[in-house]
Amino acid sequence: MRAATVADAEAAARADERARHRRFLQRLDHELKNPVTAIRAAVAGLGPAAASDDGAARAHATLDAQAGRLAHLVADLRKLAELETQPIEQEDVDVAQVVRDAVDDVLAQAQAAGRPRPAVTVSLPTVPWPLPHVRGDVDLLYLAVYNLLGNAVKFSPPGTPVEVRGSDEGGTVVVEVADSGPGVPDDEVGVVFDELARGRDARGTPGSGLGLALVRVIAERHGGRATLRSRVGHGTVVRLHLPADRP
């Protein structure tokens, strides 16, 4: 009885912490939204006047870029707060197809931007059976895999391998993305899935620090989890664990 009481108390404490965290994200979104909109409108109003000399043009471009970055951050914070509370779809999802779609889109995006084709290889089981399906929201699961793959490509030197692997581990579908990047220091591994987390080696690299937080929340909303292993100087492996939908 005592053990059950302690477990109930811990569950209640975790639920309360999640609720307070959601309220914080919602307040942050509310407080940032109006100032960012005002800044973007002011920058747009400068227009031709800002291009009258090189210094003013550079300042205008910087303001515009940073205002756009803030706007994307606010949008991602709103998406994260909503994702933690809103109902999600419960449909049959072919995880293998989600992986293939995400890989195709990342490769196409690199080609459209004129960047070298990422060295991505995909390994999905076909025998003795293919990767099981899961129940959930296909768009959210695509976003999770796309974010993992996008991170892996972004932090891996051009031409170095990125591997995407799928496996069925005792009723759990695992999607694993391994990269050849700089790796995550031991003291940062525990916080990489937190909102706005930006490691020392990620500074100067474009991004909001919300990608892995979105992956974590998507995994949890599907009854799963996200984990990470890394070695500095070698690379990182991130795994998305999802309950299989057994017939």
Side-chain angles (χ1 to χ4, degrees), residues 53-144:
D53 63 75
D54 289 345
R58 285 194 297 271
H60 178 269
T62 299
L63 284 171
D64 188 45
Q66 294 303 317
R69 181 181 176 189
L70 280 173
H72 284 301
L73 176 59
V74 170
D76 284 346
L77 283 170
R78 185 180 307 119
K79 183 189 304 180
L80 188 60
E82 292 172 350
L83 177 58
E84 291 189 335
T85 57
Q86 292 185 351
I88 64 172
E89 296 288 336
Q90 292 295 328
E91 56 186 331
D92 179 75
V93 179
D94 183 349
V95 178
Q97 188 59 52
V98 168
V99 168
R100 287 190 287 266
D101 289 344
V103 170
D104 288 345
D105 289 347
V106 167
L107 296 179
Q109 185 180 44
Q111 182 179 14
R115 297 192 300 268
R117 179 183 174 88
V120 179
T121 59
V122 180
S123 176
L124 299 171
T126 57
V127 292
W129 50 76
L131 204 61
H133 290 198
V134 304
R135 298 292 297 177
D137 188 309
V138 65
D139 293 326
L140 290 178
L141 292 171
Y142 168 86
L143 177 62

Side-chain angles (χ1 to χ4, degrees), residues 3-28:
T5 302
V6 171
D8 290 343
E10 291 176 345
R14 287 194 297 271
D16 181 63
E17 181 181 359
R18 287 195 296 270
R20 286 187 285 107
H21 187 62
R22 286 194 295 270
R23 290 195 295 271
F24 167 75
L25 290 178
Q26 290 164 350
R27 286 198 303 271
L28 188 61

Side-chain angles (χ1 to χ4, degrees), residues 16 18 20 26 29 42 66 103 115 141 153 157 164 172-174 178 181 183 195 201 223 227 229:
D16 181 63
R18 287 195 296 270
R20 286 187 285 107
Q26 290 164 350
D29 169 41
Q66 294 303 317
V103 170
R115 297 192 300 268
L141 292 171
V153 169
V164 185
T172 298
V173 176
V174 177
E195 294 83 355
D201 291 331
T227 60
R229 294 182 294 115

Side-chain angles (χ1 to χ4, degrees), residues 108-217:
Q109 185 180 44
Q111 182 179 14
R115 297 192 300 268
R117 179 183 174 88
V120 179
T121 59
V122 180
S123 176
L124 299 171
T126 57
V127 292
W129 50 76
L131 204 61
H133 290 198
V134 304
R135 298 292 297 177
D137 188 309
V138 65
D139 293 326
L140 290 178
L141 292 171
Y142 168 86
L143 177 62
V145 176
Y146 182 88
N147 278 352
L148 292 181
L149 185 57
N151 268 358
V153 169
K154 179 166 61 176
F155 289 107
S156 294
T160 58
V162 170
E163 296 183 359
V164 185
R165 301 183 283 262
S167 59
D168 175 9
E169 299 183 0
T172 298
V173 176
V174 177
V175 176
E176 183 175 85
V177 180
D179 67 45
S180 306
V184 180
D186 290 344
D187 63 324
E188 294 180 357
V189 168
V191 298
V192 292
F193 290 105
D194 292 348
E195 294 83 355
L196 306 178
R198 296 281 285 167
R200 293 187 295 273
D201 291 331
R203 291 165 190 166
T205 303
S208 64
L210 290 172
L212 286 180
L214 281 169
V215 171
R216 172 183 59 78
V217 174

